[in-house]
Amino acid sequence: MRVVLSGFLVDQPDGGEEEPGSARKREDAGTEPIDRRHIYKALLAFGLPYLIANFIQALYGAVDLAVVGWFNNAETVAGVSVGTQVTQMLNSLISGLTLGGTILIAQYVGARRQEDTRQTIGTMLSLFALAAVGFMLAMFALTPAILQLVNTPAESMEQAKQYVYICSGGILFIFGYNAISAILRGLGDSKRPVLFIGIACVTNIVLDVLLVGGLGWGAAGAAVATVFSQGVSLVLAVILLRRREDFVFDFSQESIRIHGDKVRSILRLGLPVSLQETILSFSFLAITAIVNSMGYIAAAATGICGKFDSFAMLPASAFSGALSAFTGQNMGAGRPDRAIKALRTAIVLALLCSLFFFAWAQLWPASILHIFKASDEVTLAGTQYIRTFSFDFMLVAFGFCFNGFFNGCGRTLFVMVVGSAASVGIRLPLAWFLSRAVPGNLTVIGMAAPVATLVSVVISLLYLRRGKWRELKL
């Protein structure tokens, strides 16, 4: 059987499968010369489709907010902004769990353990379907409390509730799409997720204009468009993959089942990432609560800037994701030397991309707010915030790539501890202190994120020098 990779490793021999642990017997491969140009090509070949897919994914929330801004008032914009931040917390939890599957699959592919790869895929699909039901019920029960907790402005509360409730009803689609994409990326295929999410994005834009602009459904229309388009993406992905004879998994009823050892491995790798992402989202929700206490102008301003921030950090996020799969496959194949070269390469690529967004935020910040037709008051507040927050664009080029590298090495617990400490121990208390020290000033609140990221980067550098990441456990 042939498992298609994106130039990371050699193809597997047809009909052959190595015994578990055979990658350790190939440690002498580490003495082979490393062609840096091949690493650049491999990361770009995998990372660019990943970047495009992430860019399209980010368009979901941005288009929702933009269309709502074109056809509604600031109160509705703030409602959708808060609602998307709440659902982003859920997305972070899901993406963390699926990343555990990506890493495990990549390591098995690198070690040429094909049956383990198939069992991991079947376990992921089964496990996440069950989890989706549980999370849907939890969100239905907890949404009012969460929105109260983050100080959602009273004028925007009803719109925020509508958005979160409807998106929660589509959690199965969110889980399903993320699981399929994680599986493909673990196998080294970052191109087909672009096709699936591209179709969904076009559907989302059309429905946004129709439901929000044409029918005047406001936040509810934006949420319906998002959920329906993600459902379309998931159904098309399963149909197309089932028809491909060269795909490693057959989607049969016998194959979609839970394997206990794979559940433990997925959770061992994925839970730390998921917890870290969730804690990060909670910290930003807490900062949102601080900002929301300043009124809906500040809430709308930071919500709009948040959409730009998500785009600005896409290159670093994409190369981090590519690096996780690249590192996982090469660590599984006994090539840590190649993995560390890829880390350096990914940082350079991410940093070059981040420079563009940093310059934009520093030189023409008002133009960012005008994309969403922000009022003069919202534009002024947003300009204050993004000028300081944008320093984080540069720092995450290092931070995200370190995270992707250590995740690929299976060191997800370390990544969780460092990320959580930076979020809860530095970013959140610093934002709270600055909001009290300089009341009503979004400039100082924007400083909290880059300070926290800088600390996490320094800790990651020290951990890299220790070299413990070289010890791979499968």
Side-chain angles (χ1 to χ4, degrees), residues 65 68-69 72-83 152-160 219 295-297 299-300 375 378:
L65 198 61
V68 168
N72 296 272
N73 53 27
E75 289 89 339
T76 305
V77 172
V80 174
S81 173
V82 174
T152 303
E155 305 91 333
S156 308
M157 177 63 77
E158 190 58 35
Q159 297 282 3
Y296 68 86
I297 294 296
S375 64
V378 173

Side-chain angles (χ1 to χ4, degrees), residues 94-95 97-99 101-102 105 121 124-129 172-186 234 241:
I94 296 169
S95 63
L97 289 173
T98 55
L99 181 58
T102 295
I105 290 171
I121 294 173
M124 282 183 65
L125 295 176
S126 305
L127 179 64
F128 294 156
L172 181 62
F173 301 142
I174 300 173
F175 263 85
Y177 167 74
N178 279 277
I180 293 292
S181 297
I183 290 165
L184 289 171
R185 287 163 180 157
L234 174 60
L241 291 177

Side-chain angles (χ1 to χ4, degrees), residues 287 290 421-435 448:
I287 293 173
I290 295 171
S423 299
V424 178
I426 299 175
R427 180 183 293 114
L428 180 55
L430 183 59
W432 179 86
F433 172 78
L434 292 174
S435 70

